[in-house]
Amino acid sequence: MAAIELDKNIQLIFKDNNVKPTTLLRYPHPIVGDRIIEGSGTSPDTWQKWAGLQKLPQLNIQTSFNSNQRVCIFAPHPDDEILGCGGLLQQLADNGNPIVLIYVTNGTQSHPESKIYFPDKLNTLRPKESVEVLKVLSVNHQVMTLALNLTDGDVFAQQTLFYQKLVAILQPNDILVTTFARDGHPDHEATGRVVTSFAKQHRLRCYQVLIWAWHWAKPDDRRIPWQHAARMDLTPKQSQKKIEAIHCFKSQTTEDVSTGSSPILSTQTITRISQPWEVYIYEPYL
C-alpha cells in the first residue's frame, strides 16, 4: 500500500499503485472511475451504525462450502488476503477445506523512495510477513501458497497473462475468492475482473470480498451490488486473531523512518477493516 502526500490537508491513499498524483486526481480515474481512495474515508462508526449491514443475509461456511472443495483466495498484494479474508481463512480451516492462497503480485511498490523498504527487499519481505500471518491465524497447516509474480501496480495491463496463469492452476471444482471487481484500487479491480471472468467461463463459484470499498463507499452506495451481498460474522476470537495478524505486516503498519512517512495502513484503515464481519459479493450465473 502506498501513501502519496499531496499537501498538509489532503492525503491520497492508493495501495501499491505506481501512478502519479496528477493522474489519480483526474475524475473519472481511467481505471477505477469515481471509486477514488482519498482522504480518511468513511468512518468505521458510520458502517457500524448502518442498519443495512444487519439486514444482509448470513454467509454460513458450513452450509455454503463443501469441506471437500478446494478454496482459492486471490490477494493482489500480500496483506489483502488478511484485510479481506482473515475471518474466512479461519472458518474455512475449521470447516476442513483445503485452501490455496494466490499472491498476484509481491507488493514491491508499497514504499516509493524508501531506503528501508526498497522493491528487492519487499519482494521477499511481504510474502514472509504473510507466512507469519498464517501461523498467527493457525491455518498454515491447511494453506498452500502460490505467487504469480505479476508486476505490482500494473496488473490491469497484464490481464491476459494473468488469465493464462489461471488455466494452469485452477481445477473444475474449485471455489474462488477474489477482491471486488469495483473495489477502487486498479490492482484489486483487475484481479476481480480476471478471476470473475474465468469463473464465469468455467462455471466456478466465485465470491468477491470488499476491502477498499469500505473506504470510498457510503452506506447504501449504489456502486455496490448490495442485493448480492452476504455478511459473514466472526467470533470474538476470530476477530482478535485477524487484528493480530494484520499487525504482523510490519512493513505496512509501522512508520518508514527513512522517509518519515506514516504507516501505510493507518489506524482508521485497520479499525475499519477489523469489524467483526466480512462482506462478500456472490452473483449467480444466469
Side-chain angles (χ1 to χ4, degrees), residues 134-172:
L134 298 178
K135 294 178 182 177
V136 169
L137 294 181
S138 303
V139 301
N140 54 303
H141 61 288
Q142 246 169 279
V143 178
M144 181 177 75
T145 60
L146 292 173
L148 300 188
N149 294 310
L150 297 186
T151 304
D152 183 14
D154 202 29
V155 178
F156 191 85
Q158 298 177 290
Q159 291 179 82
T160 300
L161 175 61
F162 189 173
Y163 195 96
Q164 291 170 348
K165 287 177 178 284
L166 297 188
V167 174
I169 295 171
L170 299 181
Q171 300 173 4

Side-chain angles (χ1 to χ4, degrees), residues 76-108:
H77 320 96
D79 77 354
D80 289 318
E81 75 282 10
I82 305 305
L83 298 178
C85 307
L88 178 67
L89 279 164
Q90 295 177 74
Q91 294 195 20
L92 288 173
D94 290 342
N95 197 46
N97 292 89
I99 305 166
V100 182
L101 177 54
I102 302 169
Y103 304 111
V104 180
T105 79
N106 285 339
T108 58

Side-chain angles (χ1 to χ4, degrees), residues 242-279:
K242 179 174 179 175
I243 294 170
E244 292 175 10
I246 290 172
H247 285 281
C248 287
F249 287 101
K250 296 190 183 302
S251 67
Q252 309 301 299
T253 59
T254 58
E255 177 186 357
D256 183 348
V257 296
S258 73
T259 61
S261 300
S262 300
I264 300 301
L265 294 174
S266 69
T267 299
Q268 172 144 308
T269 299
I270 294 174
T271 301
R272 183 169 46 230
I273 208 68
S274 301
Q275 306 287 356
W277 33 257
E278 294 169 356
V279 172

Side-chain angles (χ1 to χ4, degrees), residues 83 123 138 159 163 173 200-201 215-216:
L83 298 178
N123 194 49
S138 303
Q159 291 179 82
Y163 195 96
N173 201 38
K200 184 175 183 179
Q201 181 175 353
H215 182 107
W216 56 258

